[in-house]
Amino acid sequence: ENGLPVEGWGGSTPSVPVSAKKGEHIDELLEVLLLVTDMNELKGDPTGLARGLVIESRMHKGSGPLSSILIQKGTLNQGDVLVVGDVWGRIKRMENDKGERIKTALPSMPVRVLGLSGVARFGDLALEVEGEKEAKEMIKERERERSAKTMGEIGLAEIAKSIREGKAKSLKLIVKTDVAGSLKAIKDSVIGLSTEDVKVEVIGQGVGEVSSSDIELARASDAVIVAFKVGTNLSAKKQALQEKIKISNYEVIYELIDNVAAALEGLLEPEIIEEETGKGRILAIFKHHRRDKIIGAKITSGYASVGTLVRIKRE
């Protein structure tokens, strides 16, 4: 399905069934990893400036921004200066995967670092630089590049405008649906809309609500997220707002297809995007006069405020 034919089916990709819960076949997995590494002569270079990938990041109340980085190249030392996406800092403390303080991290080591100026994003590249001056210059250069980008918000209407102006030659989609059957139907339909001038690419897909990983993928590839009969989790909503990523929600398949077709032709007008501020569950309903009712609800996420609209979904 992902273009990786396994050995058992005549391919060259090793496959090891494992269970993290039961601890089954973990030793076999490690043996296969070592074998593949040896056969392909995969080696990490511990010399030079360090480079790694952010695999986790959070704000700690007592310590400040903490980032877990997987070192890919070079050697990272306590006191080195790192640039990670839009943030930078001099490393004050490092810990290994067991929470023990260390002074040095080599390739393939996951390390938690303290000292960055803010919370790094998942998937950001961490680069060691010579000093603070170089770090500040790199951050400024990235800010200039970001402000120079012509595309601000990413949504179907914005892509339609770019296609109309001849700036975009492809429409990249991330499709999330309620069931697998809907996913296949939508994917086949939108890909079939491709023309000689503009191609439709489904670069991400899945069953279930829109998550933070979908937002990350949309940000990295300038893709549009379309969601069919599924919601968006709270963290993903916040991230989408920060990244200016629009999520187009649909309840009817043909409306989704029509909007994608209109975007390809550059005809789609700006969308009205709903921003969900909170969710609740109805606990009781009280009659009030003849036509009005008072609803007693418990807020389960976000917040409710006077003047906002409410949509009630039954069952």
Side-chain angles (χ1 to χ4, degrees):
E1 194 174 289
N2 293 288
L4 295 170
V6 297
E7 287 176 344
W9 296 340
S12 59
T13 305
S15 173
V16 184
V18 300
S19 171
K21 283 186 176 181
K22 298 176 183 176
E24 291 177 352
H25 307 301
I26 303 299
D27 289 340
E28 290 178 34
L29 174 63
L30 294 173
E31 285 176 13
V32 170
L33 284 171
L34 290 171
L35 179 64
V36 171
T37 301
D38 196 37
M39 288 176 65
N40 292 282
E41 297 184 353
L42 302 175
K43 297 176 182 178
D45 184 5
T47 61
L49 297 174
R51 185 182 70 187
L53 205 65
V54 176
I55 54 177
E56 194 178 72
S57 192
R58 64 190 177 93
M59 179 66 76
H60 189 274
K61 282 185 179 179
S63 306
L66 292 175
S67 295
S68 296
I69 298 169
L70 184 64
I71 305 299
Q72 297 173 318
K73 184 181 179 183
T75 300
L76 188 65
N77 300 292
Q78 185 175 318
D80 288 342
V81 178
L82 272 183
V83 174
V84 187
D86 298 330
V87 298
W88 70 280
R90 189 178 292 278
I91 299 174
K92 298 176 182 175
R93 191 177 78 222
M94 294 199 305
E95 296 175 355
N96 62 16
D97 57 314
K98 296 175 183 176
E100 301 166 340
R101 291 192 67 167
I102 56 173
K103 301 258 185 189
T104 300
L106 297 168
S108 83
M109 284 183 64
V111 58
R112 184 182 292 142
V113 301
L114 170 68
L116 296 178
S117 57
V119 177
R121 293 191 188 98
F122 169 79
D124 273 349
L125 196 63
L127 299 170
E128 181 193 349
V129 293
E130 295 291 349
E132 294 184 5
K133 183 182 177 183
E134 289 80 0
K136 290 175 182 177
E137 287 176 358
M138 189 179 289
I139 294 293
K140 283 182 181 178
E141 181 61 30
R142 288 180 178 180
E143 287 174 354
R144 281 195 294 268
E145 287 175 3
R146 194 161 55 250
S147 62
K149 285 184 77 173
T150 55
M151 186 178 290
E153 291 187 313
I154 300 174
L156 277 175
E158 286 73 25
I159 295 292
K161 184 182 177 185
S162 295
I163 290 171
R164 191 164 59 243
E165 294 172 353
K167 294 177 182 177
K169 298 297 179 185
S170 68
L171 171 55
K172 296 175 184 175
L173 293 177
I174 296 168
V175 182
K176 299 302 290 280
T177 65
D178 56 343
V179 293
S182 300
L183 179 61
K184 187 178 187 308
I186 290 170
K187 184 181 173 185
D188 292 345
S189 298
V190 295
I191 289 175
L193 295 171
S194 294
T195 66
E196 290 183 6
D197 298 322
V198 187
K199 182 183 176 185
V200 179
E201 298 176 77
V202 177
I203 64 165
Q205 58 183 305
V207 174
E209 64 181 8
V210 179
S211 64
S212 294
S213 60
D214 297 318
I215 307 299
E216 288 289 345
L217 181 58
R219 178 179 69 88
S221 54
D222 285 343
V224 175
I225 300 175
V226 290
F228 177 71
K229 288 189 175 180
V230 291
T232 306
N233 67 42
L234 203 58
S235 61
K237 282 178 186 174
K238 291 178 182 176
Q239 197 171 351
L241 202 60
Q242 291 172 351
E243 302 290 350
K244 294 185 178 179
I245 305 283
K246 290 183 178 179
I247 301 165
S248 299
N249 296 281
Y250 298 92
E251 294 289 324
V252 182
I253 284 184
Y254 76 80
E255 287 182 1
L256 188 157
I257 307 302
D258 286 350
N259 272 12
V260 172
L264 286 173
E265 295 170 12
L267 302 174
L268 198 65
E269 294 301 316
E271 309 151 87
I272 296 173
I273 302 294
E274 290 183 4
E275 182 187 343
E276 189 180 276
T277 59
K279 281 185 181 180
R281 185 170 293 278
I282 295 172
L283 302 180
I285 299 174
F286 308 95
K287 286 187 178 180
H288 183 63
H289 302 307
R290 285 187 177 181
R291 292 162 57 187
D292 298 338
K293 289 179 181 177
I294 295 173
I295 293 175
K298 181 180 181 181
I299 303 300
T300 55
S301 66
Y303 63 90
S305 58
V306 176
T308 54
L309 297 174
V310 176
R311 173 179 283 118
I312 295 173
K313 292 184 179 180
R314 304 186 190 281
E315 298 179 6

